[in-house]
Amino acid sequence: MTKAYRSIACALGLGACLLILAFLAPAPAENVGHAPATEASAPSAPHAEQPDAKPEQSAAPDLLPPTSVTHHAITLSGAPLPYSATAGTLLLRDDQGKTIASIFYVAYVKEPLDTKRPVTFVFNGGPGASSAYLHLGAMGPKAIEVTDKGEVVGPPSRLSDNDSSWLDFTDLVFVDPVGTGYSRAAQGKDERDFFGVEHDTEYLADFIRSYLIDNARLSSPLFLAGESYGGFRAATITRDLQKKGGASPSGLVLISPALEFALLNGEDYDPLTWALLLPSYAAVNVESKGITGREALGPALKDAERYALSDYLVALASGGEDGGKLASGKVAALSGLPQEVVERHLARIEPQTFIKEFDRAHGQVLSRYDGSVGGPDPNPASSWPHGPDPVLDATVPLWTSAFLQYAQDELGYKTDATYQLLNRDVRSKWDFGTSPTHQGYAGVIDDIQDARAANRSLGVLIAAGYTDLITPYLSASYLVGQLPPLQGATPIEVENYAGGHMLYLRPDSRRALKQDAEAMYERVLKSQPQG
């Protein structure tokens, strides 16, 4: 990776800022996988219809079953779409041909096979999250049932056909990195060897190359999609693929991405971090007053966005006490927090303060993953939020059980092996590349720029949720705005949606995301005519 690290002091923040999602956990600014590791064993269930077994090249570490291929159909945009679903593991080998890891994946391919059709590899974040969130929440042919506000139904959780599946414009491969899902390091290999920016990038790029070769898809337009740290991954993998050859992505879809950890877990004395968060607080406040939906939220937040990057920054730069006096009234009005609370914090509001104080009067604590969602505060007397996150922690069992039942009943993949939806150990052991001689925060905005320079037709769509308090929506447009013009390159698109970190949980946003992604794919493919 060329410029994957930013030389900003305070490398200690990296470990705490692990993102995301999707997931950033409860620790300091960015922890995508902030929930405890979730492990579940699959109960017995009948195999899916029409499974075809493929023998593995060798036994996987957990003695997983052979790859299963099943055949299905879904109606999308009023037309039936037949497809195959492949659930299994791909073995990765080192230069000596020795197996180093088995990577679990689920691939959906429209039937009959068309090797000129796009194929999209999908990753979630954490580090430490499996791909089940985007798989069953956004893009796959089945989706976990949610309310109109994006709250997961259950227990028990339920799946239904996903009318916003991306399968009508791209084949899909959902990938679980080592330590998540059913993916494991080979016997004798230390999983920590895979837990770091560079190693993660290298072996997942190898997975993509191996899959394309094994399935005769090297001629297919290649796209990558990732959420949270998965967006970070998509950027670094793109550069690795471009440098080493064999495959070059045509487009990236980055959902609530962790682009620059310096902005997500910035310095106490850097006003930019506070400024980029303020419009997200305002979005929570606006939604609490009944202004909802993408079309309404955009105009309603223009004043907050303007103030955040102008007068608010000037006030904060004037000093702690002076800045607090200048900005507290406006910050209180925009955020909906009591002015006394804002003044006490000198108009510098951390996410933990906001989620604790916004609805304290009703005994509610908000979610960092979606500030519009709250739950009962188990520690109302505390000045700091303690307890499970109302979005992430409360739904871990629902996502886990939904995937296990689906894998057995419909994908024909039955196993008693441990399935890890979120693995907190991965996050705590992650190597962001810092050392005594190389300190700073990890970041990929330069990698994205370099990738666009290497492939000027590369499409990049960044999707952000208005009420996401993990990766604030204004951060993406701010960073993209700082990039110098790149002559002849396709412009980066930044789109904002109603919802939080997992914006696709809101049905309207899921549909809008699909429409925007499909439009980007079409533009990219038209600019790169296929033979």
Side-chain angles (χ1 to χ4, degrees):
M1 281 172 292
T2 53
K3 305 168 186 170
Y5 308 99
R6 231 46 83 238
S7 294
I8 300 176
C10 228
L12 293 176
L14 283 176
C17 103
L18 282 180
L19 228 168
I20 323 171
L21 181 40
F23 294 172
L24 298 101
E30 247 325 303
N31 295 305
V32 184
H34 300 46
T38 298
E39 303 184 350
S41 295
S44 297
H47 281 316
E49 295 183 51
Q50 307 178 60
D52 300 315
K54 291 183 180 179
E56 290 292 334
Q57 297 173 2
S58 65
D62 280 331
L63 300 178
L64 292 171
T67 295
S68 174
V69 180
T70 53
H71 305 277
H72 313 263
I74 185 174
T75 298
L76 294 174
S77 301
L81 189 152
Y83 65 93
S84 66
T86 302
T89 55
L90 189 153
L91 303 181
L92 297 183
R93 304 182 187 278
D94 60 18
D95 293 339
Q96 287 71 47
K98 184 178 179 180
T99 299
I100 59 173
S102 62
I103 306 301
F104 179 75
Y105 69 95
V106 178
Y108 298 101
V109 176
K110 181 183 177 182
E111 295 185 319
L113 173 64
D114 177 3
T115 58
K116 299 299 183 181
R117 195 167 188 260
V119 57
T120 302
F121 290 82
V122 185
F123 306 90
N124 265 100
S130 76
S131 60
Y133 290 96
L134 288 176
H135 185 175
L136 300 181
M139 305 174 190
K142 298 289 184 180
I144 198 164
E145 292 189 7
V146 294
T147 67
D148 290 340
K149 287 188 61 179
E151 297 169 307
V152 178
V153 174
S157 55
R158 298 190 298 270
L159 294 178
S160 58
D161 284 351
N162 180 13
D163 62 4
S164 298
S165 173
W166 294 18
L167 193 53
D168 51 351
F169 64 89
T170 178
D171 294 336
L172 297 163
V173 183
F174 295 92
V175 186
D176 291 344
V178 169
T180 73
Y182 293 125
S183 297
R184 302 289 184 269
Q187 289 182 343
K189 293 290 295 182
D190 190 337
E191 286 195 333
R192 287 176 295 184
D193 291 342
F194 299 86
F195 296 167
V197 173
E198 293 193 9
H199 294 308
D200 182 77
T201 298
E202 291 170 357
Y203 84 79
L204 290 175
D206 286 343
F207 171 89
I208 291 174
R209 281 187 288 264
S210 296
Y211 179 92
L212 294 174
I213 292 170
D214 291 350
N215 292 275
R217 299 300 299 268
L218 284 172
S219 62
S220 300
L222 171 61
F223 289 78
L224 305 183
E227 177 183 5
S228 196
Y229 188 84
F232 185 104
R233 270 190 179 112
T236 62
I237 292 171
T238 295
R239 286 300 291 139
D240 187 275
L241 290 170
Q242 287 179 333
K243 291 175 183 178
K244 295 179 180 177
S248 180
S250 296
L252 307 177
V253 180
L254 313 179
I255 302 169
S256 306
L259 297 174
E260 293 291 323
F261 281 88
L263 295 184
L264 301 178
N265 195 42
E267 306 302 318
D268 290 342
Y269 306 108
D270 181 358
L272 189 56
T273 302
W274 314 112
L276 294 175
L277 275 163
L278 183 59
S280 296
Y281 300 153
V284 174
N285 186 33
V286 165
E287 282 210 347
S288 73
K289 297 176 180 178
I291 300 175
T292 60
R294 186 185 192 186
E295 301 304 322
L297 286 170
L301 294 171
K302 291 301 182 185
D303 180 54
E305 294 168 4
R306 182 207 61 77
Y307 176 73
L309 293 180
S310 58
D311 296 345
Y312 184 42
L313 276 176
V314 172
L316 295 178
S318 70
E321 185 176 1
D322 291 344
K325 291 178 180 178
L326 286 171
S328 287
K330 183 71 170 181
V331 170
L334 289 172
S335 68
L337 291 177
Q339 183 155 339
E340 177 273 326
V341 171
V342 177
E343 291 175 348
R344 181 163 18 105
H345 289 86
L346 303 179
R348 295 159 168 82
I349 307 301
E350 294 188 33
Q352 292 88 341
T353 299
F354 181 79
I355 65 175
K356 179 71 177 185
E357 299 293 342
F358 183 80
D359 203 16
R360 177 189 279 271
H362 297 98
Q364 297 283 298
V365 63
L366 307 184
S367 169
R368 282 198 64 189
Y369 291 85
D370 187 342
S372 69
V373 177
D377 189 348
N379 298 284
S382 171
S383 60
W384 207 247
H386 298 286
D389 182 273
V391 169
L392 187 66
D393 298 324
T395 62
V396 165
L398 301 177
W399 287 99
T400 303
S401 60
F403 179 82
L404 291 176
Q405 203 67 52
Y406 174 62
Q408 294 178 126
D409 291 355
E410 300 203 35
L411 301 182
Y413 200 80
K414 180 180 179 181
T415 176
D416 291 329
T418 298
Y419 178 81
Q420 294 180 305
L421 177 75
L422 289 174
N423 185 347
R424 192 174 185 178
D425 286 344
V426 175
R427 181 179 63 83
S428 64
K429 297 173 182 176
W430 201 257
D431 177 10
F432 279 85
T434 59
S435 69
T437 58
H438 189 115
Q439 296 183 353
Y441 288 104
V444 291
I445 197 68
D446 284 342
D447 292 90
I448 293 173
Q449 184 77 336
D450 289 346
R452 297 172 64 232
N455 175 10
R456 284 177 292 175
S457 63
L458 179 73
V460 181
L461 170 63
I462 300 176
Y466 281 118
T467 50
D468 179 2
L469 305 183
I470 295 289
T471 53
Y473 80 89
L474 192 59
S475 296
S477 56
Y478 169 80
L479 285 168
V480 170
Q482 303 309 305
L483 293 174
L486 198 57
Q487 185 175 6
T490 301
I492 297 174
E493 303 169 57
V494 180
E495 297 288 349
N496 300 320
Y497 305 82
H501 198 61
M502 294 173 276
L503 58 93
Y504 48 81
L505 290 182
R506 299 201 192 184
D508 288 345
S509 294
R510 185 192 306 166
R511 284 188 285 271
L513 174 62
K514 175 184 177 174
Q515 292 170 0
D516 292 339
E518 185 172 11
M520 186 270 278
Y521 277 54
E522 290 178 355
R523 285 192 295 271
V524 168
L525 295 177
K526 286 179 180 178
S527 69
Q528 299 176 330
Q530 302 299 307

